Amino acid sequence: MANEMEELINFLSSPSPQVKKAAVDIVRGLTGSEDGLQSLATYSKTVLPSLSRLLAENKEVSEPAAEALVNLSQNSVLAAKMIEMGLIKITMDVLYKQGCEIVGPLVMLLVNLTQVDAGVESLLQVGDEKVQGLYVMKLVRSFCTSSSEKEDDPFGHVGSILVNVSKTKAGRTLLLDPKRGLLKQIIRQFDSTSLLRKQGVSGTIRNCCFEADNQLQNLLLISEFLWPALLLPVAGNKVYNEQDTSKMPLELGSALSIEREPVTDPKIRTQALEAIYLIVLQGAGRRAFWSVNGPRILQIGYEEEEDPKVMGAYEQIGSLLVEGNDTEEGSTQTSS
């Protein structure tokens, strides 16, 4: 004989809309507590498929089902089971069905599922060459074309998905592919007023810079967008004089010669500096950095910095630039 939990899960497939709605609301409520999550986890084989089927129904049923899945997916074991049963494909199909009314919870579900490597692999569609990267391209397009000015910015969390994707080599390779131009589109979102978007962009750039040892050329191809996104957050708040800005490309010099909104989040400043460090580790990256008057920008930014962790990131680049300069000067003298 079925126990109470089994009966509740059976009601998720009831032909009666009222019964189904009542059942999914109860399940969503259970996922809000640790005890409830534990109880549902025991029945994951039946509850996960039942909830995923409800995602394609009308909003009053699909929304609580999606929210329940978001809560359940915070458990890495359950997230792995969801990925195994193809929930990323189901989520993407519903998300890009015309008139989708539950964008927010579906995007949050993808954020949770891509915290697992298998989730990133599924989102990248690894193994299917015809469509590989298509889901990520769709999400990037939504991230870049939706407005962050509205109070409700459901696609703003795509930035967190991109950070997760860029933690893997396959993800970074896709984002850095110059034919697709995805990183260039993503970087432009750094101008958004949304802190959430800025954090997503800065985390994604920083992760992509781990490929600087073999993809530096592809990073420098988009330098007119890359340098402002990396240097403006760490340039301090002062208005730069013409002597400094004349040695910079126009997109940097013009931004620094006027009053601007400071980047108050230390995490973004640290990530920008870590990305710069990964670039200047390479000889060609160092030369590119000097060519935009980068060391002068960091010197001014460092003078204004108060956060110890961020200061440490400045200092790491400073010592590398001094060493790199000595090495390059030495090799020039040796060869002459």
Side-chain angles (χ1 to χ4, degrees), residues 231-238 240 256 260 262 297 300-301 304 314:
L231 285 166
L232 292 177
V234 294
N237 301 327
K238 68 172 271 186
Y240 282 53
L256 291 171
R260 57 202 175 277
I297 294 172
I300 292 169
E304 292 185 19
Y314 275 104

Side-chain angles (χ1 to χ4, degrees), residues 247-259:
K247 297 169 190 162
M248 298 174 193
L250 188 64
E251 61 276 3
L252 253 183
S254 53
L256 291 171
S257 57
I258 54 169
E259 291 216 355

